[in-house]
Amino acid sequence: MGSITGDWRLKAARGKKIQQESIPKQWILAPERLPPTSQLCVIDVPKESGLLSEKELIITESTATSLVDKMASGTWTAEEVTIAFLKRATLGQQLLNFATEFLAEEAIARAKELDRIFHETGKIVGPLHGVPVSVKEHIGIKGRVCNAGYVSWMDYISPDDAVVVQLLQKAGGIVIVRTNEPQSLMAWLESDNNITGRTLNPHNRNLTPGGSSGGEGASMGFKCACLGVGSDIGGSIRGPAAFNGVYGLRPTAHRLPLVGLRAAGMGQDFIHGVVGPLGHSVEDLELFMKSLLDQCPWKEDMSLVPVPWRTAGPPATASLTVGIMKDNGLVHPHPPITRALELAEKKLIAAGVRVVEWKPYQYQESSDLTAQFYFADGGKAQRSALADEPLLPQTTLALAMGSPGGLDVSTSWDLNYQKEVIRAMHHAEWQRAGVDFVLSPAYVGVAPEHGTAQYFFYTALWNVLEQPAVVFPTGLQVDAKIDVADASYQPRSELDAREYAKYSPEKFDKVPISLQLAGKRWHDEELLAGAKVVQGIIAR
Amino acid sequence: MGSITGDWRLKAARGKKIQQESIPKQWILAPERLPPTSQLCVIDVPKESGLLSEKELIITESTATSLVDKMASGTWTAEEVTIAFLKRATLGQQLLNFATEFLAEEAIARAKELDRIFHETGKIVGPLHGVPVSVKEHIGIKGRVCNAGYVSWMDYISPDDAVVVQLLQKAGGIVIVRTNEPQSLMAWLESDNNITGRTLNPHNRNLTPGGSSGGEGASMGFKCACLGVGSDIGGSIRGPAAFNGVYGLRPTAHRLPLVGLRAAGMGQDFIHGVVGPLGHSVEDLELFMKSLLDQCPWKEDMSLVPVPWRTAGPPATASLTVGIMKDNGLVHPHPPITRALELAEKKLIAAGVRVVEWKPYQYQESSDLTAQFYFADGGKAQRSALADEPLLPQTTLALAMGSPGGLDVSTSWDLNYQKEVIRAMHHAEWQRAGVDFVLSPAYVGVAPEHGTAQYFFYTALWNVLEQPAVVFPTGLQVDAKIDVADASYQPRSELDAREYAKYSPEKFDKVPISLQLAGKRWHDEELLAGAKVVQGIIAR
């Protein structure tokens, strides 16, 4: 673990200082105007606090699609939109600690520039004109520290904006705030680190907003920004989206550029990390993808596939086949998830969708592969970056997943080939069953209590299989009266028992319930078009 | 190396027996009708032997494009075309030992079926209707042994045709013969093994036809088939194409399917092996790519990118910028190659093409990476497959390239990340220079003497960089009088001295000189369209 000297604390404090000094002072509420720390749900605080005007509440509760419409028609200015979100984000920061750094001045300056251009030309600069965006910290911003959750990386200054940020900005998006992530980024679904500390869930501050894009999850859940940019190698976009009751997409790899992101173990190529959007509707995820891919980023970054965004029309309900996997056969979902899936099934059938049971296929094998791949180097890349600071408990748990000492290349090749075979067999099974999408839990439960999020394989399956997957709210919330623990429950394994023991209805009462829909590799367009229909039916 | 028992000889003999028994008996010439083994160049033997009729000579000297035209107009039948090539291939086998197995009966039966369909419908079945094709042995054929050059794999029977073969057949192509490859397939540019032995070069039987698709090289050089299918991870299509004076394409990876190919170390994902065509014109390579990709193989094999073949129009000569790299700064090309490049430069400039010098960029780094990647497992996959048989000298040399014991995963990730950085920097340099293509040697010299082919980095560069590259004949041959060794030559290194010492004009007199043109990743279409123009000017 390396030597722990006083030094890491100084470096970490620098990160905390950047965070604190960047918070727009003019909108910080005095402690007495905030709810007591004992108040768990803070979702209604923006309305109650008096910080935001009625108009600002309407602005911050809009989707990106409607924001852009309003700015294109001259109804709202980019400046007032940006300020409204910055105010809400400042409040969010006081309540949730979701940000690592605000970019308020730059954001307002850019908003004014957009307003000037709009005023002069009568036109918006691009499809994301004036949309306030939050961006996960390890996605670099020019001239700013990019620490990826490691104290030892506090000296690294990004020489350029990450390409995904450049594309976003060219489309008119405005980065207003950078968001928190866990120490090591890898393999834990929460967001706590030695620099900026722990982020809380706006629906219940005893719960985690997820990770590793947990700052993004909280940002979207509290509506601190209109769109968010996260990254996902095992569920790091989808977990946070699910836990906060918002939308998140893990796109097919090699569609969006990774240049300018920082993480340990960058040469790991067995399971591809991706960047992707979080937002407040499927349409917004689509808007994000289209706005970026319409700029043909593959012309500059040849590691991307030259596949333009094809806007897919909504599939006819009667032509749809949805496979439903209620349980992966290894770890029982908690009662609220099962209830949501059963209700979804009924509604889909009633709407005329063909629904088939999707049996977990090679789940154990895929699960085993994942654990081996993430830390195939024996966690060396992580341990090296973590050498100077104490490990948080969940980092220790995550690092325990890998084989001590790591694999040799020969073994890693064998596993990599097995992975390819599993992908191909899974696709064949998918074709055989004739399913368009597979609906499943996004996680074993709803947002877990701090320090307890561990089992990420409901999302990681699609990373191993290299398929796109989207998470969305069902419109349902946990109901402590209905969602009682299943008396007939029998644990399948220690793992299963451990995960089921984390459930008790009262702890999660009124927390949103989300589900996950996966599509075919490369078919991100069809997945989003299908998700609009499927979510439309489920949340109806 | 494992124990060498009598057993491997029995297994190897089975492979030789399959080869021998498959040769169509009716066309085998008595030894006295063959040229003496001392006759090195056998290119004119088809004309001189009397085995092929005048019409059969014309047929076998046609391009695929014109063959299909002739069959589509009813001028030639698929049966007579297939028989003409089978006759020539039988002669080729007697002179060059290029085949591992003939598929004569099945081929003729399929040709008759195509003729029947054409007779009944008046239409050809597809864009490769009746085109005789040779296929490298490790590309599986249903129900037949697929040994990939390893004696220990003689028991493996392919359960299906490789997908690339299925696509070829659906387009109307007829597989008439399977072709030879080296022991271990990897990293040696010749074709000799313990099963079917050594393949010779039709231009000079003292020379190698190259490898690992060396059987394909000889097949194309002698016109045993009209199109060939090889594979390439460091030059295995392009070396053989260059050494035999024919055309060969290493396409961008993930465009053509690899399912059904066998090789050791399949999970190696640092440098992608690809399948690709060899043929008798750039148009034929284009026809092959288009015929296969028009079948949308990515709908079944999700590891392929969903990028249709876009037929690119020929670029205007005056709009073209060709970078010329005459020397990679590490190993001097032999005099004939330099002469061909200098002449090419003059002709391109005279034709109005913008020509710029392309300085070798990060060549040493790319070269070092390649050597480390191929045998990052310390050669374990190879050694395991080779356990039962004696190593041929060049296999021993190849295996010596890897770090003994192999890399750990951590180091391999670091190298893999370096590779990505080099690719991106190389692309940036390419953009900065404004080049469309880079023209360079395909190899340090023309076809080398048996047992001496070693330095493959003129081709392997494009594998590391993941860019498509095509090899074509210049229309020039070595002229022992002109192509004398350079008196001013000073070796740069032991490696350079070793490679230059292999040159002496007499050994290579009249052997064809080929060059290589590389294009941008994913731009296989533009590369072939450009190659038509560039080669047209160079070979004019």
Side-chain angles (χ1 to χ4, degrees), chain A residues 305-326:
Chain A
V305 294
V307 177
W309 185 260
R310 305 162 283 104
T311 301
T317 308
S319 77
L320 268 183
T321 300
V322 174
I324 299 193
M325 184 181 75
K326 289 185 193 154

Side-chain angles (χ1 to χ4, degrees), chain B residues 348-427:
Chain B
L348 288 169
I349 292 172
V353 172
R354 183 173 162 250
V355 172
V356 299
E357 186 192 2
W358 180 257
K359 287 195 184 145
Y361 185 69
Q362 301 201 312
Y363 230 82
Q364 186 68 57
E365 294 85 338
S366 310
S367 175
D368 292 348
L369 274 179
T370 311
Q372 290 196 274
F373 279 148
Y374 287 154
F375 299 106
D377 68 339
K380 195 173 161 190
Q382 298 290 352
R383 286 179 217 278
S384 157
L386 291 164
D388 294 339
E389 61 182 301
L391 299 191
L392 298 184
Q394 289 212 314
T395 305
T396 305
L397 277 177
L399 285 172
M401 285 201 317
S403 322
L407 308 178
D408 61 18
V409 163
S410 176
T411 309
S412 78
W413 287 3
D414 290 346
L415 294 176
N416 198 35
Y417 186 62
Q418 279 179 39
K419 175 198 78 182
E420 291 297 332
V421 171
I422 286 179
R423 285 181 182 176
M425 290 175 70
H426 208 274
H427 178 65

Side-chain angles (χ1 to χ4, degrees), chain B residues 160 191 214 322 372 396 484:
Chain B
D160 278 305
S191 293
V322 175
Q372 290 196 274
T396 305
V484 292

Side-chain angles (χ1 to χ4, degrees), chain A residues 6-21 100 145 147 150-152 154 193-197 389:
Chain A
D7 184 56
W8 77 266
R9 287 169 226 263
L10 295 176
K11 275 196 180 182
R14 265 202 277 140
K16 191 71 188 171
K17 192 173 173 213
I18 290 172
Q19 179 203 48
Q20 290 302 309
E21 293 187 349
T100 60
V145 174
N147 62 52
Y150 300 108
V151 175
S152 66
M154 273 301 300
N193 59 56
N194 286 323
I195 305 166
T196 37
E389 62 183 300

Side-chain angles (χ1 to χ4, degrees), chain A residues 379-390:
Chain A
K380 195 174 160 190
Q382 298 290 351
R383 285 179 217 277
S384 158
L386 291 164
D388 294 340
E389 62 183 300

